[in-house]
Amino acid sequence: YSQRSGSPERSQHSQRSRSQERSYQSASGSNYTGDYTGPSNVTGTDASDRSPMTEEDPDYRDKPSKAKARWNMAAVKAVSAGAIKGKPDLERASHSSEDSHDMAFDGPEKMRAPSPKKKKKRVPEPKPEPEPEVDPLEDLPTDRTPMKKLIKRMKDDDPSLTVLKLDGRKKIKPDDWEAFFESIEENTTLTHLSVSRCDLTDELAVGLVLALVENETLLSLKVMMSKRITDDTAKGFVKVFEQSNKSLKKLDLTKTKVTKKSLNRLNEILEERDEKKIREKLQEERQAKIQSMLKATASEEATEPSEDESDTE
């Protein structure tokens, strides 16, 4: 072992062991046959001729410390040679277990508790905005179909004829206008009609007002840019809307001779038919009722006597 390790301590130890063994043999007169912890290649001795060690032997008491020293020296050599992973010198081997995770020196690695996960804040999703209503008459070109064919389609309730735009057709005869307005009375397919810039008069518009008495499908009507339409036609519309027609929801009389007073009255009637505005009005009424109920309960609690006051009475 001393020859393999090459350590000066091991060679001194082996020389001491050999000298003590010779002195022991000469004193006792018998061969040493006990367990020997020193090197096996000692000259002049044989394992079969050795006797067991006793407490009187000086090496007996020193045996554990010497074995420990041999183990420590072997560990030092292993550390210096890099045999133990990640420890190039003794300074790192002597560090505390907090700085080192070597299983040979520090024991099992301490398990770290998992860090708590941070809860993500829920961002309320924005409410979708209501889509604006699209006017089907806005981008529609003017219909140039002859009035007689158009009147026939109206009377036959043509399902493809739901939106009709006659803007700018100033050459239509008064008789054709009257026949066309009469066909609106019994029609059940037309929903949007525009007769703007057609030079209509109050006399011709009478047939249009009367047609709305029986019609229940027309939702939107435009009679714009007709300078000969006055309050007489507007008053006729107001009377029909208040008494019979409940289906028309939009009426446009801009750039006519109708006064603001008549226009405001017509707008008031049509606003009552607007479903969106009806819902908004109902919500406002409900909120007002809830607030009045809360105020009533708060006033009742304030007027009621407390328990202490009732006990004293």
Side-chain angles (χ1 to χ4, degrees):
Y1 181 81
S2 62
Q3 293 175 358
R4 288 196 302 273
S5 63
S7 174
E9 292 184 7
R10 298 297 177 272
S11 60
Q12 292 175 6
H13 174 72
S14 60
Q15 290 175 4
R16 268 199 317 272
S17 300
R18 285 196 292 271
S19 62
Q20 290 173 1
E21 185 180 1
R22 289 192 189 96
S23 63
Y24 181 81
Q25 287 178 359
S26 61
S28 61
S30 61
N31 294 330
Y32 178 78
T33 59
D35 295 334
Y36 184 69
T37 59
S40 60
N41 58 349
V42 179
T43 58
T45 60
D46 191 296
S48 61
D49 299 334
R50 297 171 190 159
S51 60
M53 293 179 66
T54 61
E55 294 182 359
E56 297 176 357
D57 189 43
D59 278 351
Y60 182 85
R61 295 178 183 178
D62 219 13
K63 181 179 178 181
S65 61
K66 290 181 179 180
K68 185 176 181 181
R70 287 197 299 274
W71 167 252
N72 290 340
M73 183 57 65
V76 169
K77 284 180 174 291
V79 171
S80 61
I84 298 176
K85 135 173 120 171
K87 303 297 181 292
D89 50 16
L90 277 175
E91 292 181 359
R92 291 192 181 184
S94 63
H95 286 173
S96 63
S97 60
E98 295 179 357
D99 298 332
S100 173
H101 297 290
D102 194 339
M103 300 295 291
F105 295 94
D106 301 333
E109 184 179 355
K110 295 180 181 180
M111 299 295 293
R112 294 181 181 178
S115 58
K117 296 181 179 179
K118 296 181 179 179
K119 295 182 179 180
K120 295 182 179 179
K121 294 182 179 180
R122 293 183 179 179
V123 180
E125 297 181 358
K127 295 181 180 180
E129 296 181 358
E131 296 181 359
E133 296 181 0
V134 179
D135 187 2
L137 292 167
E138 186 174 354
D139 299 328
L140 191 70
T142 300
D143 194 334
R144 298 294 178 180
T145 305
M147 289 303 293
K148 291 181 180 181
K149 291 183 179 180
L150 197 59
I151 292 168
K152 186 177 184 305
R153 290 176 62 188
M154 289 286 292
K155 290 181 177 180
D156 295 339
D157 288 337
D158 188 353
S160 63
L161 189 61
T162 57
V163 181
L164 183 59
K165 188 174 183 179
L166 301 175
D167 293 358
R169 296 187 63 173
K170 299 178 180 180
K171 295 181 179 181
I172 298 175
K173 297 177 181 181
D175 295 339
D176 293 336
W177 278 119
E178 291 178 4
F180 175 73
F181 292 149
E182 288 178 2
S183 65
I184 293 175
E185 292 183 12
E186 299 178 357
N187 182 269
T188 58
T189 58
L190 189 67
T191 57
H192 295 77
L193 174 63
S194 179
V195 288
S196 301
R197 295 183 287 107
C198 293
D199 288 341
L200 292 177
T201 62
D202 289 334
E203 294 177 0
L204 292 174
V206 172
L208 181 58
V209 173
L210 294 175
L212 295 178
V213 175
E214 300 293 335
N215 185 278
E216 296 179 354
T217 56
L218 195 64
L219 303 175
S220 175
L221 176 61
K222 291 184 178 182
V223 193
M224 301 185 299
M225 300 178 186
S226 297
K227 295 181 179 180
R228 289 191 282 180
I229 299 293
T230 63
D231 279 350
D232 294 339
T233 303
K235 290 177 182 178
F237 281 125
V238 170
K239 191 173 183 179
V240 170
F241 291 157
E242 289 177 346
Q243 295 181 359
S244 58
N245 186 284
K246 304 296 181 182
S247 60
L248 193 73
K249 297 181 179 179
K250 290 183 179 181
L251 176 62
D252 196 345
L253 295 174
T254 57
K255 294 186 179 181
T256 59
K257 294 295 182 179
V258 179
T259 59
K260 289 183 179 180
K261 184 178 179 180
S262 300
L263 290 174
N264 291 334
R265 179 55 185 157
L266 287 169
N267 290 331
E268 289 176 1
I269 295 171
L270 295 175
E271 281 180 0
E272 294 176 356
R273 302 182 181 186
D274 192 351
E275 295 179 357
K276 183 179 178 180
K277 293 182 178 179
I278 290 171
R279 287 194 298 268
E280 291 177 354
K281 189 176 180 181
L282 289 173
Q283 289 178 358
E284 290 176 358
E285 291 177 356
R286 288 175 183 174
Q287 290 178 358
K289 287 181 180 179
I290 292 168
Q291 290 178 358
S292 62
M293 290 173 66
L294 292 173
K295 289 179 180 178
T297 53
S299 61
E300 289 177 0
E301 290 176 357
T303 54
E304 286 181 358
S306 61
E307 295 181 358
D308 298 336
E309 293 177 357
S310 60
D311 294 339
T312 54
E313 290 177 358

